[in-house]
Amino acid sequence: MRAITFYKTILDDTPVLDFLDSLNAKQAQKVTWVMQLIEELKVVPQQYLKKLKNTDDIWEIRVIYKGNIFRILEF
């Protein structure tokens, strides 16, 4: 299993949590559902998680909800 840990700034801010707080309830629910899939599944479908080309180790979490695409970078 994977564990997702959110980045914290030196001022103790967490940009991903701030982003999630900016979404409406349904959008935030879908994003957290995808993150839970990533943590629990051994093989995650590429529609949710994929390594970005020409990078050393940068991954993209991708969530589509009602025509909106939310992307979160993962290292």
Side-chain angles (χ1 to χ4, degrees):
M1 253 193 337
R2 295 172 196 81
I4 294 176
T5 305
F6 297 132
Y7 166 77
K8 281 190 176 186
T9 67
I10 58 172
L11 299 175
D12 213 30
D13 293 327
T14 311
V16 173
L17 291 179
D18 294 341
F19 166 70
L20 289 173
D21 287 342
S22 75
L23 301 175
N24 70 42
K26 295 279 187 179
Q27 292 168 330
Q29 182 180 21
K30 178 80 183 261
V31 172
T32 55
W33 177 78
V34 170
M35 288 181 178
Q36 186 176 356
L37 279 180
I38 291 168
E39 286 184 320
E40 294 175 355
L41 294 178
K42 199 172 218 177
V43 177
V44 181
Q46 271 196 336
Q47 73 186 59
Y48 300 122
L49 179 68
K50 71 176 183 176
K51 184 177 181 294
L52 296 180
K53 293 179 184 178
N54 301 319
T55 67
D56 288 333
D57 205 14
I58 301 174
W59 293 74
E60 174 189 57
I61 297 172
R62 188 169 187 230
V63 180
I64 300 173
Y65 180 77
K66 291 193 175 182
N68 293 310
I69 301 173
F70 304 104
R71 292 182 168 99
I72 300 170
L73 296 181
E74 178 178 296
F75 305 89

